[in-house]
Amino acid sequence: MSRFLEQLASRLEHPALPPPPRQWAVAFSGGLDSTVLLHGLVQLEGVARVRAIHVNHRLQPGSGQWAATCQARAAALGVRVTVLSVQVAASGSASLEAAARAARYRALAEELGPGEILITAHHADDQLETMLLALMRGAGLRGLQGALAASPFAGGTLFRPLLAMPRSDLRRWAEEQGLDWLEDPSNEDIRFDRNYLRQTVLPALRARWGNAGPVASRAAEHLHDGVLLTEQLAGEDAARLDDAQRPRADQLRALDAPRLRSLLRLMIRRAGLPVPDRSRLKLLEDAVGAASRHSRAAVQWPGGEGRFYRGRLYFGAPMPASMPAAPQRLLTDECPWTGWSGQVSLHVAGAVGLPVTWIRHGLTVSYRRGGELLPAPGGQRAGTLKRLLAAARVVPWMRPYVPLLYFEGSLVAVADLWTSPAALAAEPDAQPRYQVRWACSRLVY
């Protein structure tokens, strides 16, 4: 067995991978790197456990022919191949390069089957490029560690077994095997940052330090250890909070600045939000320092925000710029209503709830407009919706988005927080009744 195949075989035993037998899905561009990976994997694992996925970005005039060539070369190996076409459009601050990468990985995630492992041909020189780009962005430990050999992806694993191998080793094996590969002309365009590094910076680095790629891969492993230790400490700090989803500002202030920043990043990631850049994180850190029980400060960044209420910090997706669309009809327990603030559904309950005739007739769902009154039993004084929401400790910024249910123009339920007393007298007890459930994707209490 060649040295390349021995190295590849040893890396296929990565501890983060499920035990054999495994199903591999190779991201196959047709270039040198993915061609070497596909051939090597077939020799080690056999064609029955390997398939190829080619993503056509449709950015080059000859992209269709390129995809056809990839199909033919994979088929010649006896490997099943799938071609996916994507639409790439740069928007906002994202470059065309970044937009293409995002579109590619979205398509690959949707294509993967249960249990399949997506395997890519990123090598040591790619790792060096990634780390240099992260350095030029002023990235922290997580960015500077570069790509990981194994990481979660689409419910499975994204695996990069060649990260410690320089591209020269891949080329040498390809030439020994007599392999053919495609050369992407766009790789020569140094307007793209990665191509600029590849064409101008890396040759100078390798001329001085011939093993720059593998050395960078070793440095990435050290940085990854640092990331793990930092996140372990942040996890321990989170475990000491009385509520890690709604942490108290005074508990956060007890941490020194580096640990506070690490904890904030961890909580933001746990909330499923993108981590803000350093300047926005500093604003959030300053807001923690200044927060009191009466503070309602808010710090926003692309894709997320942090808000303070009653001395606690809440994370969530950005609030909509305007109120959602007009009311929609909630017909039956089989037809839930979905709006910006989550889903409202109806479920058969016991003796308390909305009568079945109201459900069959149809309920209208709306958001708060202001001045709503809640009917009270026995001629008692009506209460205000505003007071109910405050008593239920709904955070102020979510109060306009609590779903309100109406029957024939009368307010009969406020999400799952309140049901009109009139519902109890509407029908005999023998009739089925329905309770409202509000599944909200945000923290509202």
Side-chain angles (χ1 to χ4, degrees):
M1 184 183 291
S2 70
R3 181 171 177 272
F4 167 75
L5 287 180
E6 287 177 352
Q7 288 182 301
L8 178 58
S10 68
R11 284 163 174 77
L12 295 183
E13 300 309 313
H14 195 284
L17 297 178
R22 307 178 180 115
Q23 292 296 138
W24 305 97
V26 180
F28 183 50
S29 71
L32 167 66
D33 311 334
S34 62
T35 296
V36 167
L37 177 61
L38 183 63
H39 278 255
L41 200 59
V42 166
Q43 291 190 37
L44 292 173
E45 298 285 284
V47 295
R49 302 208 174 277
V50 179
R51 72 164 174 141
I53 306 175
H54 176 81
V55 179
N56 180 3
H57 300 87
R58 298 187 289 182
L59 294 176
Q60 302 289 337
S63 62
Q65 181 57 48
W66 187 295
T69 301
C70 288
Q71 283 182 297
R73 292 184 177 175
L77 275 174
V79 173
R80 294 177 297 124
V81 59
T82 301
V83 174
L84 307 174
S85 293
V86 297
Q87 186 71 42
V88 179
S91 61
S93 61
S95 65
L96 185 64
E97 190 178 17
R101 185 183 310 111
R104 176 168 66 253
Y105 279 105
R106 280 196 302 270
L108 290 169
E110 293 172 0
E111 171 62 24
L112 281 187
E116 274 192 311
I117 300 169
L118 178 63
I119 184 168
T120 68
H122 295 97
H123 46 72
D125 296 288
D126 291 325
Q127 184 74 300
L128 177 56
E129 292 167 9
T130 298
M131 295 173 71
L132 288 172
L133 288 170
L135 181 63
M136 292 300 99
R137 291 195 303 268
L141 280 178
R142 284 179 68 90
L144 290 173
Q145 71 179 334
L148 301 179
S151 55
F153 182 77
T157 304
L158 169 57
F159 186 48
R160 304 177 179 95
L162 309 182
L163 281 180
M165 300 186 199
R167 194 169 194 261
S168 57
D169 285 2
L170 307 187
R171 178 180 284 274
R172 186 179 304 112
W173 191 77
E175 291 172 346
E176 290 172 359
Q177 298 292 309
L179 303 182
D180 293 322
W181 61 87
L182 299 167
E183 295 287 355
D184 187 347
S186 69
N187 288 338
E188 304 300 318
D189 188 348
I190 62 173
R191 292 177 300 173
F192 297 114
D193 291 342
R194 190 173 287 271
N195 288 347
Y196 177 80
L197 285 176
R198 189 172 298 156
Q199 300 299 330
T200 63
V201 177
L202 262 61
L205 284 174
R206 283 194 291 264
R208 179 77 177 191
W209 299 282
N211 62 342
V215 166
S217 292
R218 290 202 300 274
E221 293 176 2
H222 298 320
L223 287 164
H224 182 53
D225 288 344
V227 170
L228 293 178
L229 289 172
T230 300
E231 293 187 347
Q232 179 180 340
L233 180 59
E236 292 172 358
D237 287 336
R240 284 190 282 269
L241 299 172
D242 70 326
D243 187 338
Q245 289 187 298
R246 311 165 184 81
R248 290 201 332 253
D250 62 333
Q251 287 187 308
L252 298 178
R253 282 195 294 270
L255 300 172
D256 59 32
R259 287 176 67 171
L260 173 58
R261 287 192 290 270
S262 294
L263 178 56
L264 290 173
R265 291 189 187 101
L266 177 66
M267 290 188 297
I268 290 168
R269 284 195 295 271
R270 285 181 175 179
L273 304 172
V275 176
D277 61 22
R278 181 62 180 261
S279 64
R280 291 289 173 178
L281 194 65
K282 181 62 167 61
L283 289 177
L284 189 60
E285 183 183 349
D286 292 344
V288 169
S292 69
R293 182 166 178 78
H294 304 292
S295 173
R296 294 194 179 183
V299 177
Q300 298 172 328
W301 62 89
E305 64 181 18
R307 291 177 177 266
F308 292 85
Y309 180 59
R310 293 187 174 180
R312 292 187 179 272
L313 174 57
Y314 293 73
F315 292 111
M319 303 297 289
S322 59
M323 286 297 291
Q328 301 180 36
R329 186 167 293 275
L330 178 66
L331 294 177
T332 69
D333 58 322
E334 297 179 353
C335 280
W337 175 90
T338 301
W340 179 84
S341 62
Q343 187 180 82
V344 175
S345 55
L346 298 168
H347 300 266
V348 175
V352 179
L354 301 175
V356 65
T357 53
W358 291 11
I359 307 306
R360 290 171 181 168
H361 185 275
L363 301 176
T364 300
V365 184
S366 180
Y367 287 130
R368 183 181 173 193
R369 296 183 177 88
E372 289 87 355
L373 295 177
L374 307 179
Q380 299 177 24
R381 183 179 178 183
T384 64
L385 176 59
K386 179 179 180 180
R387 183 175 298 176
L388 169 72
L389 296 178
R393 305 180 76 88
V394 175
V395 292
W397 56 91
M398 281 301 297
R399 292 174 191 173
Y401 306 99
V402 176
L404 309 180
L405 279 68
Y406 290 85
F407 175 66
E408 295 183 343
S410 296
L411 181 61
V412 296
V414 178
D416 50 11
L417 304 174
W418 173 87
T419 301
S420 170
L424 297 177
E427 292 181 356
D429 292 341
Q431 294 293 325
R433 294 183 181 275
Y434 286 78
Q435 287 185 348
V436 180
R437 292 182 188 173
W438 178 31
C440 186
S441 58
R442 300 177 62 100
L443 289 175
V444 295
Y445 307 113

